[in-house]
Amino acid sequence: MIFNRELPQAAGVLHRCCSYRQGGGNLVILSTAPRGVQSGNRATWFGLYYNISGFGVYLHPVGLELLVDHKALDPAQWTIQKVFFQGRYYESLAQLEEQFEAGQVNVVVIPNNGTALIWASLPRPWPVPLDCPYLATDVDWHFLLEFQGPRTLYNALCVFEQNEGLPLRRHHSDAFSHYFGGLVETMLAFISVSTLFNYDYVWDVIFHSNGAIQVKFYATGFINSVFHFGAARRYGNQVRENTLGIVHTHTAHYKVDLDVGGLENWVWAEDMAFVPTAIPWSPEHQIQRLQVTRKQLQTEEQAAFPLGGASPRHLYLACKQKNKWGHPRGYRI
Ligand SMILES: [Cu+2]
């Protein structure tokens, strides 16, 4: 719709700014959220970028953006609600072209000097060796999701064991007797990568020997960029002649369903608190004494902790079974 129906209406101005030819083969679109201003809206801004083969297109915006209403189920009925071109808004591409022909549009010519890099298009294993240590084991991932039949992603995960960096415990004695004892602490790591548009997200799941499961999540890849004009630096950093790397947010949601030793599990919160106590051998004096606090969280509400807010020092998921001393067995979250 954008390339066949819309862009030809502004062929003149696009030829001038962005070496446009019929069909627009040198351009690609990238969309951005939000997709509307209220519930039910389906309207998205699509930015046009130079299609630089074998290389990221994400740093090469040409300064044209189209607000497409894509609520209709039939794409033929989608419409352009607004046009942005190099700092100004227009009602349609036809209006932009009309004003360009009347000499009213100040066109910034965007150079298309990207070079194709041949090595970038070579097939390669995934994750690539830079994600994992050399001795890691690559594991294929078989799945049924989203496809009619089974699929396999080769080398989708890598698994390795690694020294934690600190021993679990060590002690060297030179005081009453002479001995040394210690235990290495290792972790088991699973690493995978998922690619979404210009980003690669690296997911680490790490199992520590104290029972803790740690999930790490990193965003890397190409930055998000838009056409740079006016006071745009307020919204990011200039990274090229006509390109602004923009501030924005990434949101990630985790949903974990963990059963420990059966389905009967509880969430426990452990922390420490200072409790004013009279000194036993000198009751007229008071000390702030540190105590362990333990609380079973009864409802989902109680077990919900807002990001950045205060949460208990130790949160763990415990099963019915107890250890020899009556402490519930569980995994720390
Ligand atoms: Cu980002």
Side-chain angles (χ1 to χ4, degrees):
M1 166 237 178
I2 286 175
F3 289 98
N4 297 331
R5 194 183 77 196
E6 296 297 332
L7 293 192
Q9 297 178 43
V13 64
L14 294 179
H15 179 72
R16 175 74 176 281
C17 72
C18 331
S19 10
Y20 174 82
R21 287 176 303 274
Q22 192 64 36
N26 65 329
L27 299 171
V28 288
I29 46 168
L30 292 174
S31 75
T32 53
R35 312 208 178 264
V37 291
Q38 64 181 62
S39 184
N41 278 176
R42 295 290 183 274
T44 300
W45 281 100
F46 287 83
L48 282 108
Y49 293 71
Y50 277 134
N51 184 9
I52 295 160
S53 69
F55 201 63
V57 304
Y58 313 102
L59 300 181
H60 304 273
V62 300
L64 177 67
E65 293 176 28
L66 306 169
L67 180 58
V68 177
D69 186 324
H70 48 89
K71 200 171 189 172
L73 295 178
D74 178 5
Q77 287 171 32
W78 293 356
T79 53
I80 304 268
Q81 288 188 323
K82 212 78 171 172
V83 171
F84 168 91
F85 182 71
Q86 298 190 345
R88 280 176 59 194
Y89 289 97
Y90 302 86
E91 290 310 310
S92 64
L93 281 163
Q95 191 200 44
L96 166 64
E97 184 74 354
E98 202 180 289
Q99 294 193 14
F100 168 71
E101 281 170 3
Q104 293 162 353
V105 180
N106 215 348
V107 178
V108 178
V109 176
I110 312 288
N112 181 359
N113 51 8
T115 18
L117 296 180
I118 288 153
W119 56 263
S121 57
L122 292 175
R124 58 206 167 135
W126 179 80
V128 287
L130 61 91
D131 300 312
C132 315
Y134 283 107
L135 293 176
T137 304
D138 289 335
V139 182
D140 298 339
W141 179 33
H142 311 284
F143 60 100
L144 294 162
L145 203 71
E146 290 181 355
F147 296 100
Q148 299 291 332
R151 288 278 180 124
T152 298
L153 269 180
Y154 295 99
N155 303 330
L157 290 168
C158 80
V159 184
F160 59 92
E161 222 174 45
Q162 189 166 284
N163 196 305
E164 285 264 19
L166 268 181
L168 181 66
R169 98 185 107 75
R170 77 183 314 288
H171 182 63
H172 170 255
S173 173
D174 205 9
F176 304 106
S177 59
H178 202 94
Y179 63 90
F180 173 81
L183 191 61
V184 168
E185 178 144 47
T186 52
M187 57 186 181
L188 178 68
F190 288 72
I191 293 182
S192 64
V193 182
S194 51
T195 299
L196 197 68
F197 300 110
N198 47 327
Y199 293 109
D200 276 17
Y201 295 106
V202 181
W203 305 80
D204 296 358
V205 181
I206 298 166
F207 296 87
H208 296 273
S209 24
N210 66 359
I213 302 170
Q214 184 183 20
V215 183
K216 293 203 241 173
F217 168 75
Y218 312 85
T220 180
F222 280 97
I223 58 170
N224 240 342
S225 79
V226 294
F227 179 76
H228 180 278
F229 70 99
R233 284 197 198 193
R234 204 177 288 160
Y235 309 104
N237 290 303
Q238 190 171 355
V239 293
R240 283 171 63 88
E241 179 67 32
N242 303 111
T243 307
L244 178 81
I246 41 170
V247 285
H248 60 280
T249 53
H250 292 234
T251 314
H253 301 272
Y254 289 93
K255 188 167 181 178
V256 179
D257 189 354
L258 191 66
D259 299 322
V260 183
L263 295 172
E264 281 176 81
N265 288 208
W266 291 272
V267 183
W268 280 88
E270 284 194 355
D271 213 323
M272 296 178 288
F274 284 103
V275 179
T277 314
I279 299 180
W281 64 92
S282 180
E284 67 275 24
H285 295 105
Q286 219 184 44
I287 50 165
Q288 294 288 329
R289 193 181 209 190
L290 204 51
Q291 284 189 11
V292 177
T293 62
R294 297 189 182 87
K295 193 179 165 202
Q296 198 186 89
L297 306 177
Q298 304 287 345
T299 62
E300 288 196 16
E301 196 89 326
Q302 281 178 19
F305 298 98
L307 190 67
S311 64
R313 187 169 294 260
H314 298 299
L315 259 180
Y316 66 100
L317 201 65
C319 67
K320 282 212 307 203
Q321 295 147 26
K322 301 201 158 135
N323 74 3
K324 188 175 170 183
W325 313 111
H327 290 287
R329 292 182 187 277
Y331 282 98
R332 197 176 143 197
I333 302 167

